[in-house]
Amino acid sequence: ATYDEVGSYSLILQDQNFADVDAADTPAAQRYFSGSLAQVGRFTPDHFVTDVTHACAAGAYTYSGQPFTVKVTAQNAANSTTRNYTGTQATNHTLSTPVSASLGTLTNISISAINFAAGSATSNAPTYTFSQPATQPTLLTVRSTDADSINSAGFEGSTEVRSGRVAMKNAYGSEMLALPLSLRIETYNKGWTVHTADTCTSLNTANFAWSPGTSGVGSQGWQACESALLLSGASPNYQVLITAPGAGN
């Protein structure tokens, strides 16, 4: 016999054939023999499955320090979802990765039992952060293990984690003219290079702040309020335009 769900059930065994010889003159209720009520189980999942959704689905990657999504599903030995894995039948889960700890740290790794419904739970909080920004792209496999030490080994999703940065080139010009600045989104792969796969990042002027330097020889002490910052372009290539502050700045 097999049972394809989790939890436990009540069982009574009944012999309906032992007294078949008396079937002609004895009611069925008197010919059947039943045992005592027994509790069978607790049954647990055979394994879990982790499905990982990239932070940038279009580019199939996640930046270091950027949250991504993990869905954990309980399954039986036939790889079917055990929908009863919910409520008191579920336990707390801990996420982990086989990637060397020297490369970085996986945080927000807990999924509470109360989050499971119909056999699945989702967390949008897991975040992997490299120890060093200049780190090669790394395939991050995510494992989920419950309080019974049942895990998702062999059924695990992954995302490629990449370092990223916003790079802006220096520029100078007349205080009477607007000043354009080249800006691009870069990733590290044997050196920093423009991240052509990044079609997800969206920058706007609210992402920028500036702090004017101290007054120098021949300067009247430029202040941020004397110029406006304009932004054009789209990921990964943008242009920043600082409007002219005017004479004497």
Side-chain angles (χ1 to χ4, degrees):
T2 61
Y3 184 63
D4 61 3
E5 265 293 351
V6 301
S8 59
Y9 58 89
S10 300
L11 176 68
I12 296 178
L13 297 179
Q14 186 180 72
D15 189 338
Q16 299 182 355
N17 303 113
F18 179 75
D20 280 354
V21 67
D22 299 316
D25 57 2
T26 306
Q30 297 180 22
R31 291 185 286 107
Y32 294 170
F33 293 89
S34 299
S36 301
L37 181 68
Q39 294 295 320
V40 180
R42 159 179 174 257
F43 292 90
T44 63
D46 176 73
H47 61 271
F48 297 101
V49 176
T50 59
D51 293 308
V52 177
T53 301
H54 314 289
C56 180
Y61 71 89
T62 299
Y63 278 127
S64 169
Q66 185 178 31
F68 55 91
T69 300
V70 178
K71 180 181 179 181
V72 180
T73 302
Q75 291 191 342
N76 58 29
N79 300 331
S80 296
T81 300
T82 52
R83 297 179 62 84
N84 288 349
Y85 192 82
T86 186
T88 58
Q89 299 302 326
T91 65
N92 295 331
H93 280 241
T94 301
L95 302 179
S96 61
T97 177
V99 173
S100 172
S102 65
L103 281 180
T105 304
L106 181 65
T107 56
N108 301 323
I109 59 175
S110 298
I111 299 180
S112 175
I114 63 175
N115 292 329
F116 279 88
S120 296
T122 299
S123 174
N124 299 315
T127 305
Y128 188 81
T129 305
F130 288 139
S131 300
Q132 300 294 329
T135 301
Q136 286 293 110
T138 300
L139 187 66
L140 186 78
T141 300
V142 180
R143 176 167 298 177
S144 188
T145 304
D146 76 353
D148 293 316
S149 297
I150 302 168
N151 61 46
S152 57
F155 301 89
E156 294 164 347
S158 61
T159 184
E160 184 175 85
V161 179
R162 304 177 184 177
S163 277
R165 71 179 187 182
V166 175
M168 182 185 297
K169 293 186 177 181
N170 292 326
Y172 62 91
S174 168
E175 74 275 22
M176 303 302 293
L177 300 173
L179 182 66
L181 295 165
S182 176
L183 179 150
R184 69 183 193 179
I185 297 172
E186 296 181 338
T187 189
Y188 188 86
N189 192 347
K190 299 179 181 179
W192 292 101
T193 181
V194 63
H195 196 185
T196 56
D198 188 344
T199 58
C200 296
T201 302
S202 179
L203 299 179
N204 57 67
T205 55
N207 300 129
F208 296 83
W210 49 21
S211 177
T214 58
S215 177
V217 177
S219 168
Q220 300 301 311
W222 174 84
Q223 299 297 316
C225 62
E226 296 173 329
S227 292
L229 186 148
L230 307 175
L231 184 68
S232 61
S235 183
N237 295 297
Y238 291 87
Q239 184 179 74
V240 174
L241 188 69
I242 300 176
T243 60
N249 290 287

